[in-house]
Amino acid sequence: NALTRDGSVTALGRHLATLPVDVRIGKMIIFGSVFRCLDAVLTIAAAMSSRSPFLSPMEKREEANKARHAMSVGKSDHLTTLRAYNGWIAATAERRQREYCDKNFLSRSTLRTMADLRKQFAQLLADIGFVEPMSNQNI
């Protein structure tokens, strides 16, 4: 918790107060760092701070739903989005991101926004000393 029962600010609260993000996002990224699952948490936090990367065009709604279902991880929207993002990163490294996005009905602009948000969140953590500054290839 950010506050004690008597209203004093906790160590977590002091760190959250320095982050210019929604408290839920701030807690996520701090705990992601503490529990050593930051990479996935940065992606999920970025997804929560932007639109869904999944597209559903009216004329291809059924096809889009099948593509999303094929990518789904259980009943978790967050893990499904994480899988989609990680697939996009892999496709980008192979210079086939357009094909990947078209096949899976994903928005390239939303995925780029998520990548930018991940970098911003990682930099915020570095600024408050929670992680070492990261190079672009590590984010």
Side-chain angles (χ1 to χ4, degrees):
N1 288 334
L3 297 174
T4 63
R5 287 199 169 135
D6 68 1
S8 301
V9 179
T10 64
L12 174 61
R14 282 190 295 282
H15 289 298
L16 287 172
T18 65
L19 294 173
V21 296
D22 179 271
V23 173
R24 294 175 307 135
I25 300 297
K27 281 176 95 170
M28 277 183 66
I29 63 176
I30 286 173
F31 286 135
S33 173
V34 169
F35 293 117
R36 301 185 190 278
C37 55
L38 186 57
D39 187 64
V41 168
L42 286 173
T43 302
I44 293 167
M48 290 174 62
S49 300
S50 60
R51 296 182 319 194
S52 171
F54 294 97
L55 300 173
S56 186
M58 289 287 256
E59 66 281 358
K60 294 185 177 183
R61 182 150 297 153
E62 188 174 326
E63 191 177 344
N65 288 340
K66 285 180 184 177
R68 182 174 180 157
H69 182 73
M71 192 172 290
S72 68
V73 178
K75 295 184 186 231
S76 174
D77 289 340
H78 293 314
L79 294 179
T80 299
T81 301
L82 177 62
R83 178 180 279 173
Y85 180 85
N86 288 342
W88 176 71
I89 291 296
T92 299
E94 297 171 3
R95 298 190 181 274
R96 53 179 194 82
Q97 65 267 32
R98 171 173 250 140
E99 174 190 338
Y100 177 81
C101 288
D102 290 348
K103 175 184 172 192
N104 293 293
F105 292 88
L106 294 168
S107 166
R108 288 186 298 281
S109 64
T110 300
L111 291 165
R112 282 191 298 269
T113 298
M114 287 172 57
D116 290 342
L117 285 168
R118 281 175 45 86
K119 290 175 188 171
Q120 291 173 31
F121 294 154
Q123 185 58 53
L124 289 171
L125 287 175
D127 290 348
I128 64 171
F130 257 83
V131 297
E132 293 294 320
M134 297 182 200
S135 68
N136 284 341
Q137 56 199 105
N138 291 339
I139 301 176

